[in-house]
Amino acid sequence: MIAPSILSADFARLADELAAVPTSDWIHVDVMDNHFVPNLTLGLPVVKSLLKVTDIPIDCHLMIDDPDRWAIGYAEAGAYNVTVHAEAANDPVKLAKDLKAAGSKAGLSIKPGTPLEPYVEVLKHYDTLLVMSVEPGFGGQKFMVDVLEKVRQVRHLVDTGHLKLLVEIDGGINADTIEQAAQAGVDCFVAGSAVYDAADPGKAVEALRAQAARAQAAGTT
């Protein structure tokens, strides 16, 4: 699965930028509040507008304080998947249940320096684990290969039946890094500049998907 990140898109042409990637599996929307991360992007009103102009499922990544209070609004608006940060959620188990009750899938994200182990039991209530492969807050950062060990850990837990969720990765994903991530066990790849800096964003999505599929196939033979 490929989820283009509109953080790298032209904010003045968001409807057109979504239309430029018609075969995307998800559209990844980074919501930043200038508190949890040192950057400010967009919020619920923009997400509601995006939902009106695309049929591609919207994947909201909330890099915000107090997601227990704010996340439900994105689910109620119609976002397909709403991801909150483990480091910010006060009651992540209740929040997962509330997100699902409001109509979305529930995702939990962990920063590069956050270990997986304390959240294994919590993740039994979630549909998605988003592993950050850069420090959250800004696009265009260099991929942190060390986080792939966490991907391998959670892939093993999924494959052995201990968890049932989709493994997503966000940060520095491009033609040079997607194969490593695919071989480690990622299901969904968030790609920003690798898609929207390309001459043809739609073709970039197809190329990244094909590259990931080849890497995964090679890893199972």
Side-chain angles (χ1 to χ4, degrees), residues 109-208:
S109 183
I110 53 176
K111 295 181 179 181
T114 300
L116 175 67
E117 289 80 4
Y119 298 101
V120 170
E121 289 301 312
V122 171
L123 283 168
K124 291 181 179 179
H125 300 273
Y126 280 83
D127 303 294
T128 306
L129 172 65
L130 175 57
V131 178
M132 292 300 299
S133 43
V134 298
E135 289 296 334
F138 293 91
Q141 296 182 62
K142 186 178 179 180
F143 181 78
M144 300 171 70
V145 69
D146 291 352
V147 305
L148 292 182
E149 183 54 37
K150 283 188 281 191
V151 172
R152 296 184 189 97
Q153 291 173 10
V154 74
R155 180 82 264 156
H156 176 73
L157 290 170
V158 172
D159 290 346
T160 55
H162 290 84
L163 292 176
K164 186 178 180 181
L165 48 73
L166 182 147
V167 183
E168 187 176 10
I169 196 164
D170 181 6
I173 294 296
N174 54 42
D176 297 324
T177 59
I178 195 167
E179 293 183 11
Q180 301 173 67
Q183 290 171 351
V186 171
D187 300 303
C188 182
F189 306 84
V190 177
S193 56
V195 171
Y196 282 114
D197 286 356
D200 187 329
K203 288 183 178 178
V205 168
E206 295 290 346
L208 287 168

Side-chain angles (χ1 to χ4, degrees), residues 63-80:
M63 290 174 264
I64 63 173
D65 283 342
D66 200 10
D68 304 70
R69 175 182 178 185
W70 298 110
I72 305 306
Y74 292 85
E76 292 174 340
Y80 178 78

Side-chain angles (χ1 to χ4, degrees), residues 42-53:
L42 49 79
L44 184 56
V46 175
V47 170
K48 288 180 177 178
S49 295
L50 295 176
L51 286 162
K52 294 176 183 177
V53 298

Side-chain angles (χ1 to χ4, degrees), residues 7-101:
L7 187 63
S8 297
D10 182 348
F11 274 29
R13 301 173 52 253
L14 285 180
D16 293 336
E17 296 283 59
L18 268 60
V21 289
T23 64
S24 302
D25 297 282
W26 290 354
I27 295 293
H28 189 80
V29 180
D30 287 313
V31 176
M32 307 182 192
D33 65 357
N34 199 32
H35 294 282
F36 181 70
V37 292
N39 198 4
L40 184 66
T41 54
L42 49 79
L44 184 56
V46 175
V47 170
K48 288 180 177 178
S49 295
L50 295 176
L51 286 162
K52 294 176 183 177
V53 298
T54 185
D55 292 327
I56 302 171
I58 298 292
D59 174 33
C60 288
H61 177 196
L62 306 186
M63 290 174 264
I64 63 173
D65 283 342
D66 200 10
D68 304 70
R69 175 182 178 185
W70 298 110
I72 305 306
Y74 292 85
E76 292 174 340
Y80 178 78
N81 186 66
V82 178
T83 294
V84 300
H85 265 268
E87 303 88 356
N90 294 316
D91 189 342
V93 172
K94 181 179 184 299
L95 184 49
K97 294 177 180 178
D98 289 346
L99 284 169
K100 293 179 184 181

